[in-house]
Amino acid sequence: MIPAAFEYARAGSVQEASELLAKFGEDAKVLAGGHSLIPLMRLRLAQPSALVDINNVKELSYIARENGKLRIGALTRHVELHNSSEVKQNLPILAEVASEVGDNQVRNMGTIGGVVAHADSAGDYPTLCVMLDAEIVTNKRRIPAREFFQDLFTTPLENDELVCEIVFPAESGPHKYIKFRRRLFDWAIVAAAAQKTDQGWRIGLTNVGPTPVRATAVEQALAQGASPTDAAEHASDGLSPSGDIRATPEYKKHLARVLTRRAIEQSQ
Amino acid sequence: MSVTQLVGAKIHRREDPRLVSGHGRYTDDLTRSGLVHAVFVRSPYAHARIKSIDVTDATKAPGVVAVLTARDFEGVILGPMGAAPGLAPDKKVPERFPLAKDEVHYQGDPVAMVVAETKAQAADAAQLIEVDYEQLPAVSDLEAALQPGSAKARSELPDNVCWDLTLVPWDATNDAFGKAEVVVKERIYQQRLAPVPMETRAVMAEWARFDGQLTVWMSTQNPHLIRLPMALTLGLGEHKVRVISHDVGGGFGSKIDPYPEDFLVAAAAKKLDRPVKWNETRTESMQNAYAGRGQYYDVEVAAKKDGTLLGMRVTQTLDVGGYAMGFCTFMVIALIVSGGAYKWPAISARSIGLFTNKVPTDAYRGAGRPEATHLVERMMDKLAAEIEMDPAELRRKNFVQPGEFPFTQNFGFVIDSGDYDKALTKAMELAGYQDLRERQAQLRSQGRYLGIGLSTWIELCGFGPAAAMAPATGGLGLTESSQIRFHPTGSVNVYVGTHSHGQGHDTTFSQIVADQLGVPYESVELHHGDTAEGPGFGFGTYGSRSLAVGGMAIYMSCQKIVEKAKKVAAHVLEAAEEDIVFDQGRFYVKGSPDKSKVMGEIAFASFGPLPPGLEQGLEATSYFDPPNLVWPFGTHLCVVEVDPDTGHVDIQKYVAVDDCGVIINPMIVDGQLHGGVAQAIGQALYEEMVYDDSGQLKSATFLDYAMPSANEIPEMVLDKTVTPSPTNAMGVKGIGEAGTIAASAAIINAICDALRPLGIDHVDMPATPDRLWKQIQEARSKAVSSDGSKGGAA
């Protein structure tokens, strides 16, 4: 299919991008890697009136360690996260997750900011954000991750607001991200993330609901000394995932438990 | 200079540099002066009556040249699209005009056509067309379609039956089932598959008004088989229609039969007097390309406890779709080879074709032979499990033996050659079968599920002998043609009626010609795909026929040329024709090999003065009518481990030993096997066209239609046996579909073998993780509840 007609502008800075978005109005969208947006446009499931291209906004592309935190610029590509020694040293689970996104082409083009702003329930980074209490920094404010992912494709971002940075805590303890999908480049059917911190385990689940889930029941069970198998039984507590062509809700709940157990057992 | 042996050599394909560097000449790359673009408006409903079509706004949209409905083509398109008799000549063929007039029969059925200056303008205008539909109950489920009281896929018919054909009546197997010591039964599904060629369909047509000539460029597997119906439907002589197909990015059977859009683009070009082009979008292709498979089989096998086969009863229920198109009955051939590599005292077979409100089905890589192999190989494994016999042993016991060829099988077809045990033994050795069984036992004791699956496949291809094929095609013979001509300076043009669309004929056929004529490979140029060139008719590429029939037509022309060349050489060397020797590209008088002329010199001489009775030129035209089909065979062996907690299947080993007779280019044979196996992996584990109850396609993009990528395809160990075919002088068979024919059974057999300890004895395709997990769960809970002593958690 051919996308519906749209206007196009290229921004050179965050300020300019925000002004362009305000100018074009509510139906304008930001274009970064484009690998979620453009397929939607080709099917005419999305028909933005304008695209504001931020690929030249160099100020959004960085990885910086600061005060026990890792600050990632929104325009950082998955491949950069995967290859970064800063990330591998300070938050290796992020490098692992980045290597699991899509395929080579997606990893070369896609950005962490784009995945976060798009808020697809099958996105991988949002799970890490929620699990590790990350902070999403926009051009207007700082939003804790648990308040950012409101619903499927729904965030508090205003029309002229861009994700500029994601701030993670530095954690280099045992960790594992297990992403279960049919084909290597598919979205997760379900994924489980496990990160051991000095304060205990953090467990996150991808695609078991409209937003990422932090499996606090599993974390508590582990804190009380439960085995990974017993703790992982709680992974499906409170979940009512939606079914689709790939998986029934029952299967997703089952995978949540199985993958959580494996993520804990395989963490290193 | 002269050549050594090219046939059998691993020569890199000469097509590849242009194809892999973006320099292919695909139909959508082409343009004509004044070109306009077409977009089709399609029914969103699987079954509906068209109450009205309002094109007012669309006609006024920017850039629009015309908005056309069925009525606008009256007088241009003279009649409905046809269907060949095929293997069920008495089937119902509802009339199909290329644009729906009153009723639509599948989601995607075209109802209107917009032609505009640009593609984007046409797409925008198409959105302005308002069609008022009255939805009708849709037939979405094949099993339900046969039930009394089912909705009707076609309002004008009393029920959904397109054909009901008994090939061999049930009483033929009364004896077998009467004395059976063991009977195994199964219903085996063959889900609908989207053919997913890399290049979607494309058609461009230009009408030369003053010459009354129509030129159609399109992505097709068989330009002549398009030209004929195109000419008839538009009321033109075939001599006034030219179909040109340059590079085609894959077809897999979906580009054999003509489509409504083919006629509509040509008719629009004629009506509007502007060249028109249409390129299918991927979503359109998912929805509208003729679908593969779409059947289920009810099979029963009767045998003795020692494994001797007694008989089989098989009923094929086939999903025709909303229309009976082209060669839709071809898959009845699955019944004809349902006996596989084995001797059966009797087989009863029946085929029922049913209309549904889905896109029509047609040939898809293997076309009936994967279905046949899958069913017979599944039943052999089921039988082996039932009588506790090793599945390889059971097969060996029942194989047609090497000394029994040519072997007339249950449906009267003659299998030309084979050595099934040789391929099986080689495959088992390569795989390390004994070690695998030991490893399987070891892993079972650790609660892990390893499985080994065999598929000792055979197939029939190389369609086909004119006498046998003509009743099915409506009179045309499925022979193949070639024309070869020398130029004075010694280079050669070869024209063939097949049409390579990925098979590498530019390379392989040139290898044959170079060897046969003794000329350098570089001096041979192959042409195909243009009806203006070459012999009067060609039949195209499908059914693994190009080498066995097309290659043989080329071989025949080469023989004629060498025969003529000998006469010219006799004149040049001043000798008698019977004293001329032709060897390694050189002509010489017997006994004087040092005074020779190369073929190139003879070619030049053939245009000069020649003795009376000998005409100038060095060329030939041939039609090859094969005396039989050809019968490749082999053994595939697949090893899987199934993760019972997720249902994930990991293919750990894949071994294939295949026999396609004499090999022209082993690299291309390997490539065909890789691709064929990959497609079978797609069917076995990943792909399915999913429809909801109202006939809406839910799997219309690659997000939901899980065609595997290279990541999902394991390394394969490929080996060969070579049993030359006695059917043709080159001893060749076909291999294009073999991988797909063999592999799905090997994979599913492996999964069933892995899960046997859980009491699972059959698994349907696609064996996706969620389905397999569910089956495992059910088997586990059944095991717990049936063994009353095991209370509590499994």
Side-chain angles (χ1 to χ4, degrees):
Chain A
M1 248 274 246
I2 299 149
F6 56 91
E7 302 222 46
Y8 171 87
R10 194 159 246 225
S13 68
V14 174
Q15 177 65 22
E16 194 186 351
S18 179
E19 284 165 6
L20 286 165
L21 286 167
K23 174 185 130 189
F24 285 123
E26 234 173 66
D27 290 330
K29 292 225 70 147
V30 172
L31 176 70
H35 277 53
S36 292
L37 181 58
I38 292 176
L40 290 174
M41 289 174 67
R42 296 198 62 148
L43 292 170
R44 296 202 179 193
L45 291 174
Q47 297 193 31
S49 57
L51 292 183
V52 175
D53 185 338
I54 60 167
N55 283 293
N56 263 357
V57 180
K58 303 281 188 268
E59 64 188 272
L60 287 181
S61 192
Y62 55 88
I63 298 168
R65 160 121 200 194
E66 205 177 272
N67 299 333
K69 305 255 182 219
L70 201 58
R71 297 174 52 209
I72 314 280
L75 206 59
T76 310
R77 316 273 171 186
H78 309 311
V79 66
E80 291 168 331
L81 289 173
H82 172 49
N83 290 332
S84 158
S85 48
E86 281 274 36
V87 175
K88 285 185 203 170
Q89 274 161 33
N90 295 295
L91 189 61
I93 196 175
L94 180 60
E96 189 183 351
V97 168
S99 74
E100 298 281 306
V101 176
D103 56 23
N104 280 333
Q105 288 89 337
V106 170
R107 288 192 288 272
N108 286 333
M109 295 292 293
T111 63
I112 184 169
V115 173
V116 164
H118 191 53
D120 189 321
S121 61
D124 302 291
Y125 299 121
T127 302
L128 277 194
C129 291
V130 167
M131 181 176 102
L132 297 173
D133 282 322
E135 201 172 39
I136 284 93
V137 182
T138 75
N139 56 319
K140 292 187 175 180
R141 50 188 163 150
R142 307 180 78 90
I143 310 173
R146 84 189 86 85
E147 291 167 27
F148 186 83
F149 301 100
Q150 295 173 327
D151 204 337
L152 182 63
F153 303 126
T154 312
T155 70
L157 290 174
E158 288 159 11
N159 143 258
D160 60 343
E161 191 175 7
L162 285 101
V163 173
C164 292
E165 178 179 292
I166 298 110
V167 184
F168 290 99
E171 293 289 351
S172 52
H175 59 277
K176 184 76 191 163
Y177 188 65
I178 299 188
K179 180 170 172 175
F180 189 81
R181 66 278 215 191
R182 286 201 287 185
R183 297 164 298 183
L184 196 60
F185 61 77
D186 275 332
W187 296 97
I189 295 177
V190 170
Q195 174 73 59
K196 190 151 197 238
T197 75
D198 292 337
Q199 290 77 42
W201 285 93
R202 296 288 183 108
I203 308 290
L205 292 167
T206 303
N207 210 22
V208 292
T211 60
V213 167
R214 187 176 152 192
T216 47
V218 177
E219 294 174 3
Q220 278 158 24
L222 287 168
Q224 284 155 21
S227 68
T229 308
D230 289 344
E233 283 301 297
H234 292 283
S236 50
D237 286 2
L239 292 185
S240 49
S242 59
D244 60 30
I245 213 171
R246 281 162 286 281
T248 60
E250 188 202 12
Y251 181 62
K252 284 190 179 177
K253 282 166 46 173
H254 169 76
L255 277 182
R257 296 188 292 266
V258 171
L259 299 180
T260 297
R261 187 191 86 231
R262 291 181 181 182
I264 299 166
E265 285 171 348
Q266 293 172 31
S267 284
Q268 43 173 232
Chain B
M1 247 320 298
S2 230
V3 297
T4 52
Q5 178 95 357
L6 274 167
V7 164
K10 189 169 148 167
I11 297 185
H12 283 181
R13 300 186 348 162
R14 48 164 63 149
E15 307 77 324
D16 284 348
R18 83 163 183 278
L19 292 177
V20 305
S21 64
H23 290 91
R25 283 180 306 271
Y26 297 97
T27 301
D28 195 41
D29 293 330
L30 306 175
T31 188
R32 304 296 291 171
S33 169
L35 184 70
V36 289
H37 298 264
V39 162
F40 290 96
V41 174
R42 301 177 182 278
S43 168
Y45 302 113
H47 194 195
R49 198 161 292 132
I50 300 171
K51 286 162 72 181
S52 65
I53 305 179
D54 185 354
V55 304
T56 329
D57 290 343
T59 311
K60 296 190 213 133
V64 169
V65 170
V67 181
L68 305 163
T69 63
R71 190 190 342 262
D72 296 305
F73 285 101
E74 272 153 32
V76 189
I77 293 180
L78 303 182
M81 297 173 66
L87 296 172
D90 294 331
K91 64 180 173 295
K92 299 208 180 96
V93 183
E95 195 175 275
R96 183 181 196 183
F97 197 77
L99 277 180
K101 288 178 174 170
D102 309 302
E103 196 170 306
V104 290
H105 298 95
Y106 64 93
Q107 185 187 42
D109 205 350
V111 303
M113 181 180 183
V114 178
V115 182
E117 299 288 344
T118 73
K119 215 162 34 167
Q121 287 170 330
D124 288 342
Q127 292 200 301
L128 300 174
I129 293 180
E130 290 187 21
V131 186
D132 190 12
Y133 293 102
E134 180 198 330
Q135 273 194 285
L136 298 170
V139 177
S140 177
D141 181 66
L142 187 59
E143 282 161 283
L146 197 51
Q147 301 310 316
S150 162
K152 295 197 289 184
R154 302 204 52 107
S155 304
E156 81 278 10
L157 296 178
D159 54 36
N160 294 314
V161 178
C162 182
W163 70 79
D164 187 345
L165 180 65
T166 296
L167 280 79
V168 180
W170 251 231
D171 56 25
T173 43
N174 280 346
D175 195 45
F177 283 83
K179 60 182 198 235
E181 293 169 1
V182 56
V183 173
V184 282
K185 256 173 102 135
E186 192 58 73
R187 171 170 280 196
I188 300 175
Y189 292 92
Q190 286 279 341
Q191 76 274 36
R192 271 177 172 252
L193 299 174
V196 198
M198 195 180 291
E199 180 207 11
T200 57
R201 291 179 290 144
V203 189
M204 181 171 75
E206 185 170 62
W207 172 243
R209 176 159 42 108
F210 292 99
D211 304 309
Q213 280 172 354
L214 177 71
T215 307
V216 180
W217 295 260
M218 67 185 276
S219 183
T220 177
Q221 296 177 226
N222 35 246
H224 299 87
L225 287 184
I226 296 295
R227 180 174 67 173
L228 203 165
M230 180 77 75
L232 290 177
T233 305
L234 296 177
L236 302 169
E238 268 174 286
H239 64 307
K240 292 293 211 182
V241 179
R242 180 179 181 186
V243 176
I244 303 172
S245 188
H246 292 308
D247 289 320
V248 173
F252 307 112
S254 71
K255 292 177 181 173
I256 299 173
D257 281 323
Y259 284 83
E261 295 90 339
D262 304 343
F263 297 105
L264 292 167
V265 170
K270 184 162 187 268
K271 184 183 165 72
L272 302 174
D273 203 19
R274 298 258 326 246
V276 179
K277 186 164 76 159
W278 171 70
N279 187 204
E280 187 181 39
T281 66
R282 178 59 65 186
T283 314
E284 270 182 306
S285 176
M286 286 287 190
Q287 186 190 60
N288 295 285
Y290 294 139
R293 314 288 188 254
Q295 307 129 31
Y296 62 85
Y297 294 84
D298 291 302
V299 198
E300 275 184 283
V301 165
K304 303 214 316 233
K305 284 214 195 92
D306 69 356
T308 310
L309 295 172
L310 294 174
M312 183 197 303
R313 286 175 170 163
V314 51
T315 306
Q316 172 193 63
T317 307
L318 188 149
D319 182 347
V320 174
Y323 297 90
M325 301 309 304
F327 285 97
C328 66
T329 60
F330 185 78
M331 271 56 69
V332 173
I333 207 162
L335 297 173
I336 288 168
V337 283
S338 57
Y342 315 105
K343 289 186 289 209
W344 297 82
I347 299 180
S348 298
R350 176 183 176 198
S351 171
I352 305 169
L354 297 174
F355 289 111
T356 62
N357 294 114
K358 298 179 185 171
V359 66
T361 54
D362 204 333
Y364 173 71
R365 200 165 190 173
R369 291 98 78 212
E371 295 94 311
T373 304
H374 195 87
L375 78 87
V376 71
E377 292 301 293
R378 278 299 304 127
M379 297 313 283
M380 291 303 275
D381 260 31
K382 280 198 73 144
L383 177 61
E386 185 69 28
I387 61 178
E388 292 177 348
M389 191 175 199
D390 179 270
E393 278 319 301
L394 177 63
R395 287 167 165 83
R396 283 202 169 99
K397 193 184 172 75
N398 290 285
F399 276 157
V400 177
Q401 294 304 318
E404 292 174 310
F405 295 99
F407 180 79
T408 304
Q409 44 97 284
N410 297 70
F411 294 84
F413 284 73
V414 180
I415 307 181
D416 71 357
S417 57
D419 192 339
Y420 305 144
D421 193 45
K422 190 155 156 209
L424 173 58
T425 303
K426 203 168 193 188
M428 288 169 75
E429 256 165 46
L430 275 172
Y433 188 75
Q434 278 315 117
D435 291 340
L436 284 169
R437 285 291 178 206
E438 280 163 29
R439 183 163 157 69
Q440 178 180 49
Q442 230 171 53
L443 288 174
R444 273 190 185 154
S445 67
Q446 294 167 27
R448 288 173 63 180
Y449 298 88
L450 191 82
I452 304 160
L454 283 172
S455 174
T456 51
W457 66 276
I458 77 164
E459 77 122 339
L460 80 181
C461 62
F463 304 95
M469 302 289 112
T473 64
L476 298 179
L478 284 189
T479 54
E480 200 41 80
S481 62
S482 78
Q483 195 175 86
I484 300 184
R485 41 182 185 260
F486 265 99
H487 309 296
T489 51
S491 60
V492 184
N493 273 141
V494 181
Y495 301 85
V496 68
T498 53
H499 183 39
S500 186
H501 49 278
Q503 289 80 356
H505 300 161
D506 292 12
T507 304
T508 53
F509 288 177
S510 302
Q511 285 175 260
I512 294 171
V513 173
D515 271 8
Q516 289 299 314
L517 298 182
V519 296
Y521 173 71
E522 297 70 33
S523 69
V524 179
E525 170 104 336
L526 186 79
H527 291 259
H528 54 87
D530 184 342
T531 58
E533 299 181 335
F537 208 83
F539 286 87
T541 290
Y542 42 78
S544 303
R545 67 186 301 269
S546 300
L547 177 59
V549 196
M552 276 307 300
I554 287 173
Y555 179 87
M556 267 175 86
S557 290
C558 286
Q559 303 308 106
K560 289 177 184 170
I561 285 177
V562 169
E563 210 185 287
K564 165 100 182 254
K566 277 189 177 163
K567 294 187 160 71
V568 177
H571 167 70
V572 168
L573 295 170
E574 296 171 329
E577 199 192 320
E578 50 273 20
D579 293 330
I580 298 294
V581 176
F582 176 59
D583 180 47
Q584 295 287 304
R586 298 182 154 279
F587 295 89
Y588 55 88
V589 180
K590 224 183 293 190
S592 311
D594 45 302
K595 285 220 297 243
S596 64
K597 295 284 179 192
V598 294
M599 178 62 94
E601 292 170 293
I602 299 303
F604 188 81
S606 76
F607 289 93
L610 293 175
L614 190 57
E615 264 181 60
Q616 277 67 21
L618 193 57
E619 53 199 81
T621 301
S622 306
Y623 282 78
F624 179 68
D625 184 357
N628 192 0
L629 300 164
V630 287
W631 301 78
F633 62 91
T635 296
H636 286 212
L637 190 156
C638 180
V639 182
V640 304
E641 182 167 357
V642 183
D643 181 343
D645 290 328
T646 61
H648 175 72
V649 173
D650 180 34
I651 299 178
Q652 298 194 339
K653 195 180 265 225
Y654 198 94
V655 172
V657 176
D658 298 296
D659 192 314
C660 60
V662 170
I663 291 175
I664 309 300
N665 186 323
M667 185 190 79
I668 289 182
V669 170
D670 284 356
Q672 287 283 39
L673 286 165
H674 289 145
V677 172
Q679 265 174 299
I681 290 173
Q683 177 172 17
L685 300 176
Y686 294 94
E687 298 177 39
E688 183 175 18
M689 291 181 78
V690 178
Y691 291 86
D692 70 13
D693 291 335
S694 67
Q696 303 271 309
L697 181 65
K698 308 308 278 178
S699 55
T701 70
F702 284 124
L703 180 65
D704 296 315
Y705 188 82
M707 187 188 77
S709 71
N711 294 310
E712 284 70 53
I713 309 303
E715 294 261 357
M716 300 173 213
V717 173
L718 301 181
D719 206 334
K720 318 260 170 298
T721 60
V722 179
T723 309
S725 169
T727 297
N728 57 66
M730 288 198 287
V732 297
K733 301 185 180 181
I735 198 70
E737 294 162 289
T740 309
I741 288 167
S744 65
I747 297 160
I748 299 298
N749 277 345
I751 295 171
C752 292
D753 187 56
L755 298 178
R756 204 176 317 283
L758 294 173
I760 290 172
D761 69 349
H762 185 65
V763 162
D764 271 310
M765 304 189 284
T768 57
D770 56 322
R771 285 195 186 154
L772 216 43
W773 173 75
K774 183 156 185 229
Q775 218 177 333
I776 292 168
Q777 283 300 94
E778 283 164 3
R780 276 175 160 168
S781 60
K782 218 193 305 178
V784 167
S785 63
S786 68
D787 184 350
S789 62
K790 283 197 173 74

